[in-house]
Amino acid sequence: MYRICPMKSDDIPFALPIWYAQFERYCKCDSFPDFWGGGKETVEKYLLQQIEKENAIVAKADDNIVGYMAWMYFDFHSERTAFLPIVGNAANADNENAIFHDMYLIASKKWIQDNRFNHLWMTYYDDVGLKERLYNLGFGSYVIDACRKTDPQTLTSSSTYRITEATQDDVDEVLAMENESEDNLLRPPVFLLRQHWKKDEVVKLINDDKVFIAWDNDRAIGMMSVDINKKHHFEHLTIANSAGSLCAYIRPEYRGKGVGTQILYKVCDYCYENGKPFLHVSFESANPDAIRFWPKHFKPAIRSVRRGVNRDANR
């Protein structure tokens, strides 16, 4: 057992090296940007915010900090939620699982006392030991974040569909596919409710970001949208001037024909030509189309897991 106590601002200089060592252990590779260079201040700011709210704890062995948790509260799909972002948790490599386990015992008690029965925890994808520990506690995979470089791509797919950048003339086509995508996510096994897009939202998407459309003659058969990160993002570990928020939809009868790959390569070429070195995507692990497609082209880096605690636990 480790001694668990409230985190203080004086603990941050000792906690940050633990987080960075964990980042290097599981996430530092050619496919993923080095978030730390411009993101250290982002991590510090987040920890200070949660310390002020009394939403942070540290684990100590003797008087040395060996791990920390700093969480936020919000409502997620109408459920009162406690959320540990990827910068909000870290533990030493030695006894990592035991440290996390002891911290979760204390943190989860606080969450339940505050009627937070939905627990979301962002972990590193390659941290298999922690994954197994959390699955035994009742967590399950929910969202995966993945990344890749945007080096020029040579298309090896047999797909030869026409790819264009969307303009205002394509608003109705994009709107139709966006709403088809939302309907598709609501079906089993995903069961994810999202609000349908409105026309003015699609106009803004095309104006502010980039949308690419695949065509079979005059029929729109698929699309992919991408925006540019303006700053370092503390949840996804993306960096400023990288491309993210990737969203894709291929009409069912065209899936498995290389359409998605062809659009993705067009996006990669666009990003590379415009000085955007990395491309990031988040997708629901319950989505069978997403889980088949994205890991073929991206390196999974972060796994978000979710646990629903029985509502009668706080009687």
Side-chain angles (χ1 to χ4, degrees):
M1 293 287 291
Y2 295 91
R3 183 165 62 92
I4 311 299
C5 51
M7 191 177 192
K8 301 177 181 179
S9 58
D10 291 345
D11 295 326
I12 292 179
F14 303 98
L16 289 178
I18 299 174
W19 184 87
Y20 186 53
Q22 185 173 265
F23 171 84
E24 287 193 309
R25 197 156 67 242
Y26 295 116
C27 206
K28 192 168 184 180
C29 63
D30 290 341
S31 298
F32 207 86
D34 187 354
F35 174 83
W36 189 247
K40 181 181 178 182
E41 291 182 2
T42 302
V43 182
E44 291 175 327
K45 181 179 179 181
Y46 173 77
L47 293 180
L48 280 171
Q49 288 174 341
Q50 304 317 317
I51 288 170
E52 291 174 359
K53 297 175 183 177
E54 300 183 347
N55 289 347
I57 56 177
V58 292
K60 291 186 176 182
D62 297 324
D63 288 325
N64 299 316
I65 293 176
V66 295
Y68 74 85
M69 281 186 172
W71 59 88
M72 63 172 68
Y73 288 146
F74 58 85
D75 287 353
F76 181 77
H77 288 267
S78 301
E79 293 184 278
R80 289 171 60 83
T81 297
F83 173 52
L84 274 172
I86 196 66
V87 301
N89 62 100
N92 279 349
D94 295 336
N95 298 320
E96 176 190 283
N97 287 351
I99 297 168
F100 275 131
H101 180 83
D102 288 352
M103 289 193 294
Y104 181 66
L105 292 181
I106 300 301
S108 61
K109 182 179 180 180
K110 293 178 180 290
W111 301 347
I112 297 303
Q113 289 173 341
D114 198 32
N115 292 316
R116 304 285 172 170
F117 297 99
N118 189 46
H119 301 173
L120 285 172
W121 186 336
M122 297 184 83
T123 70
Y124 288 102
Y125 190 86
D126 290 337
D127 191 348
V128 177
L130 180 58
K131 170 190 172 184
E132 291 178 353
R133 174 64 65 93
L134 294 182
Y135 278 27
N136 288 336
L137 285 172
F139 285 86
S141 181
Y142 190 69
V143 171
I144 294 172
D145 286 83
C147 199
R148 64 170 291 156
K149 280 189 172 181
T150 60
D151 295 340
Q153 302 299 308
T154 301
L155 187 64
T156 57
S157 166
S158 60
S159 178
T160 56
Y161 298 104
R162 181 168 55 97
I163 310 295
T164 65
E165 185 177 328
T167 68
Q168 293 305 310
D169 292 337
D170 302 314
V171 168
D172 289 338
E173 297 283 4
V174 173
L175 179 62
M177 287 190 287
E178 285 284 6
N179 288 332
E180 284 179 29
S181 175
E182 305 309 327
D183 289 338
N184 186 63
L185 291 174
L186 189 55
R187 299 188 183 103
V190 186
F191 300 113
L192 179 62
L193 176 62
R194 287 179 175 166
Q195 296 300 317
H196 271 15
W197 284 64
K198 298 177 181 178
K199 194 165 185 174
D200 60 336
E201 293 173 325
V202 173
V203 170
K204 188 175 188 302
L205 176 70
I206 292 174
N207 284 340
D208 295 350
D209 304 321
K210 291 294 179 183
V211 181
F212 294 89
I213 303 176
W215 303 85
D216 183 3
N217 294 319
D218 292 330
R219 187 189 180 202
I221 60 173
M223 56 162 285
M224 193 173 292
S225 62
V226 61
D227 69 4
I228 305 302
N229 298 308
K230 305 299 189 297
K231 58 184 179 180
H232 284 60
H233 195 295
F234 77 98
E235 287 183 32
H236 308 298
L237 303 187
T238 51
I239 62 173
N241 204 38
S242 63
S245 299
L246 203 59
C247 179
Y249 178 71
I250 308 299
R251 287 190 155 135
E253 62 270 32
Y254 287 91
R255 293 172 191 167
K257 297 183 178 181
V259 181
T261 299
Q262 190 174 349
I263 307 176
L264 174 62
Y265 282 13
K266 184 75 171 181
V267 170
C268 286
D269 288 343
Y270 163 79
C271 292
Y272 181 80
E273 291 165 2
N274 286 274
K276 317 304 177 188
F278 291 96
L279 186 59
H280 165 268
V281 65
S282 294
F283 58 92
E284 287 76 20
S285 53
N287 185 338
D289 296 316
I291 204 70
R292 279 194 297 266
F293 179 76
W294 296 117
K296 291 193 299 185
H297 303 282
F298 289 72
K299 175 177 173 49
I302 301 169
R303 177 189 283 107
S304 295
V305 294
R306 181 180 181 185
R307 180 188 184 195
V309 178
N310 297 329
R311 297 301 190 271
D312 57 3
N314 198 22
R315 289 186 301 177

